[in-house]
Amino acid sequence: MISPSYLLHAPKFRPPISQFPLLSPYLISRLHLSLSFHQFAPSKPRLKPSLDGDCPNLLRHKDWLSQPEVIRIFQTLKDPNFALPLLAQLETRKDYNPNESLYATIINKLAVAKDFDGIEALMQKIKTDRKCRLSDGFFRSVIKIYGHSAGRINTAIKTLFDMPDYKCWPSVATFNCVLNLLVTTKQFEVVHEVYVGASKLGVEIDACCLNIIIKGLCECGKIEDALKVLDEFPQQKCSPTVRSFSTIMHGLCERGRVDESFRLLERMEVEGVEVDAVVFNILISGLRKRGRMEEGVELFDRMMLKGCKPNAGTYQEVLYCLLDSKRFSEAKALMERMIDGGINPSFESYKVVIQGFCGESVVEDVEWALRKLVGSGFVPKMGMWKRMVECLISDKNGVVSDCALYAVMDGK
């Protein structure tokens, strides 16, 4: 064998491409590989390959293609449509030894090219060849590509149930990934079919799985069935979470069944499930939509007494309750509290409170609201300017305030 040291000092002679049957001249002319294998720090000196001319040498030399080098070839492949042809050429090598990383790289390249048929063909080949073991995470990534990128929901489901044929059993995380995909794409009629197949796949149902089922049932209007799933938790040796209850509460409130949501709140307290801000937000919003604003404000006070920290959504829901009740002074106080805490009230909140202050002819509060509105990055609309200027000009003292002058000078 010719030593590498000799190659370093040998005359620059390059045999014609036709002598290398591994790659066709057309493929070589189209492959644009940016190879930089110096980063792998080989133990002995090697020839640095050029972009095209040395590709045949690179693919034929038994000492040149380690697994990281093979993966690097596919990672730097500019045209992903050549991924499968190049893989076919590499398969002719004696040192060809594919692993999960290689297959994952090729599949990602095919996904970029939107060659989803190619991915299916490769997956079938992997199943037939069985040259390496694949992990649960590998299949989860493929399922996400089928479901989210390709929109091939049936193929995603089939991949899940085919995993044992690849000598890999799905984890509950991969199983839940498929369930969540079905709910997200509103394939509600298929959710139960997949769910009952958990035992065939050796999957143990967990709380996350049941929460996905609850979400799907609520979204398709089957609230009663969702409530029954709460009783399924003990049978599966797990406990309902705050998300289990809040999802059903949201479904009930959306249908005006607020009192039933409060019964679930009582059940949470009995079962020792800690209530969070999301639950209170759902309940306060449900009360407001039913015209029970006063109860919404009282529930906020109750929340604070329980030591549950409100979030931005909580403050906004309570603010809407105060505005709907025309309690503008209290609304102003809450807005100041929100701003001090780094929470910006919505544009609609500013609009309503400005209208309220204008109706009460409280000039100072109108100016305050306008300055806060502009300071938050919002731009008042023409109707709001008109209402404010009318209020300010009609001030009982007959004095046009700085705010009115600012509006007129700005040509609003």
Side-chain angles (χ1 to χ4, degrees):
M1 179 181 293
I2 300 175
S3 67
S5 60
Y6 171 79
L7 290 176
L8 289 172
H9 302 286
K12 293 184 178 180
F13 171 74
R14 185 172 298 162
I17 292 176
S18 59
Q19 292 186 16
F20 299 97
L22 189 58
L23 291 176
S24 67
Y26 172 76
L27 185 59
I28 294 172
S29 66
R30 295 294 304 278
L31 286 172
H32 302 289
L33 305 176
S34 302
L35 302 174
S36 55
F37 294 137
H38 60 278
Q39 63 178 312
F40 297 110
S43 58
K44 55 184 179 179
R46 296 178 178 177
L47 282 175
K48 183 179 179 180
S50 63
L51 291 180
D52 287 327
D54 284 326
C55 280
N57 276 333
L58 180 65
L59 296 178
R60 290 185 57 175
H61 200 293
K62 65 179 181 180
D63 295 330
W64 275 52
L65 290 181
S66 65
Q67 284 296 334
E69 290 173 335
V70 174
I71 293 171
R72 177 69 174 170
I73 290 175
F74 285 95
Q75 287 176 338
T76 56
L77 190 62
K78 293 184 179 180
D79 188 346
N81 292 306
F82 284 106
L84 289 180
L86 181 58
L87 177 63
Q89 297 294 327
L90 289 170
E91 287 175 343
T92 64
R93 294 176 52 86
K94 292 182 179 180
D95 63 351
Y96 176 66
N97 185 27
N99 59 15
E100 179 178 314
S101 297
L102 175 61
Y103 286 137
T105 301
I106 296 173
I107 286 174
N108 288 333
K109 279 291 180 181
L110 294 172
V112 170
K114 299 189 182 300
D115 185 3
F116 304 115
D117 290 335
I119 295 177
E120 290 193 44
L122 179 58
M123 291 298 293
Q124 186 59 42
K125 177 178 175 55
I126 293 172
K127 185 197 299 187
T128 304
D129 293 347
R130 294 189 178 183
K131 291 186 176 181
C132 72
R133 296 292 296 268
L134 300 173
S135 70
D136 171 73
F138 172 86
F139 285 97
R140 188 156 61 249
S141 297
V142 172
I143 287 170
K144 288 179 180 179
I145 290 174
Y146 283 143
H148 299 295
S149 301
R152 302 187 178 189
I153 309 301
N154 290 336
T155 307
I157 298 172
K158 184 177 183 299
T159 301
L160 172 69
F161 284 95
D162 280 351
M163 285 178 63
D165 295 336
Y166 293 85
K167 303 302 180 183
C168 179
W169 294 88
S171 66
V172 67
T174 300
F175 186 77
N176 290 344
C177 176
V178 174
L179 284 182
N180 193 56
L181 173 66
L182 294 173
V183 172
T184 303
T185 56
K186 301 188 183 301
Q187 305 282 329
F188 302 120
E189 67 282 356
V190 190
V191 173
H192 186 260
E193 295 179 21
V194 175
Y195 174 73
V196 297
S199 58
K200 298 179 182 178
L201 296 172
V203 173
E204 292 186 6
I205 299 300
D206 64 357
C208 180
C209 176
L210 293 175
N211 286 345
I212 295 171
I213 299 295
I214 287 174
K215 179 182 176 182
L217 291 171
C218 288
E219 288 191 6
C220 65
K222 298 181 179 179
I223 305 296
E224 306 304 328
D225 291 335
L227 286 166
K228 292 178 182 177
V229 175
L230 285 178
D231 301 325
E232 185 77 12
F233 280 83
Q235 299 178 26
Q236 298 296 340
K237 298 180 181 179
C238 54
S239 302
T241 65
V242 63
R243 292 284 77 79
S244 312
F245 287 98
S246 64
T247 302
I248 300 177
M249 285 178 172
H250 183 266
L252 290 169
C253 288
E254 285 292 305
R255 289 158 182 80
R257 300 162 63 178
V258 182
D259 292 332
E260 293 179 62
S261 294
F262 274 93
R263 285 198 285 272
L264 283 180
L265 178 63
E266 295 172 0
R267 178 173 172 177
M268 290 177 68
E269 294 173 345
V270 170
E271 296 184 9
V273 180
E274 187 175 354
V275 183
D276 63 7
V278 174
V279 171
F280 282 106
N281 295 354
I282 292 170
L283 294 173
I284 294 171
S285 176
L287 290 169
R288 182 177 69 86
K289 290 177 181 178
R290 300 302 294 175
R292 298 160 64 176
M293 282 76 72
E294 186 65 34
E295 293 178 62
V297 177
E298 291 174 359
L299 183 60
F300 175 69
D301 295 334
R302 175 182 168 186
M303 171 185 179
M304 300 296 285
L305 289 173
K306 282 182 170 291
C308 182
K309 185 178 180 180
N311 58 23
T314 314
Y315 283 113
Q316 190 60 64
E317 288 297 337
V318 177
L319 179 57
Y320 284 142
C321 285
L322 293 172
L323 293 174
D324 290 349
S325 303
K326 302 187 184 304
R327 296 159 63 175
F328 300 114
S329 296
E330 293 176 62
K332 177 186 175 183
L334 183 60
M335 292 173 78
E336 288 178 326
R337 182 175 172 182
M338 292 170 67
I339 295 169
D340 291 341
I343 302 171
N344 270 337
S346 67
F347 176 81
E348 184 65 24
S349 302
Y350 280 113
K351 178 182 175 181
V352 175
V353 80
I354 286 174
Q355 290 174 345
F357 287 143
C358 285
E360 296 176 353
S361 298
V362 187
V363 176
E364 294 80 5
D365 289 338
V366 173
E367 291 190 40
W368 172 87
L370 176 59
R371 294 186 189 280
K372 295 297 183 182
L373 170 71
V374 175
S376 298
F378 295 120
V379 179
K381 296 183 180 180
M382 180 60 71
M384 293 176 64
W385 281 114
K386 182 179 179 181
R387 184 73 183 272
M388 286 186 290
V389 171
E390 288 176 350
C391 172
L392 295 168
I393 292 177
S394 63
D395 184 13
K396 61 183 179 180
N397 295 322
V399 178
V400 180
S401 70
D402 292 340
C403 187
L405 287 174
Y406 173 77
V408 173
M409 290 173 65
D410 239 24
K412 300 297 184 180

